[in-house]
Amino acid sequence: MAEKTNREASNWMVPFGVDAIIEMQRPAFAAMAEANTRLYESIAAANREWTSFVNQRLKEDLAMPQQLAECKSLQDLYRVYAQFFQNACSQYQSGLEQMTKLSQSITETALQTLQSSSDAAIRTKH
């Protein structure tokens, strides 16, 4: 008896059938698929940039002890440290700028995709 009541309730709640509901939502599904694809591509680009930055910094950080070991004087030591910190500051600044640009691009792409998908959905309804 409980099964019969559940079936009646579900039939009352879905008068058009599943196929009709899916068809009505098709523009939204297509928009979300496009938005997800663009978002994935943007995040992958940001990950590649971040990985490249970290690899470059690790290479330079790990080379530092060897450079210090080769110093013959206090001036050499100061020169190595100064060069290391100048390079690090420059690379962190440019890395931050690049990640900011990528983040802005991700946001703009997502907004453009959602806006164009929203416009397309409105056009198909009218």
Side-chain angles (χ1 to χ4, degrees), residues 56-82:
Q56 180 64 32
R57 287 303 318 144
L58 280 174
K59 188 185 311 180
E60 292 188 26
D61 290 351
L62 295 173
M64 180 70 162
Q66 179 64 34
Q67 293 171 356
L68 291 174
E70 294 172 358
C71 291
K72 304 280 189 223
S73 67
L74 193 57
Q75 285 181 333
D76 290 343
L77 187 72
Y78 286 143
R79 182 186 45 77
V80 168
Y81 269 117

Side-chain angles (χ1 to χ4, degrees), residues 35 38-39 42 104-115:
R38 289 185 180 187
L39 181 62
S42 297
Q104 184 178 6
S105 173
I106 289 170
T107 303
E108 288 173 356
T109 300
L111 288 174
Q112 288 172 356
T113 302
L114 292 175
Q115 181 64 42

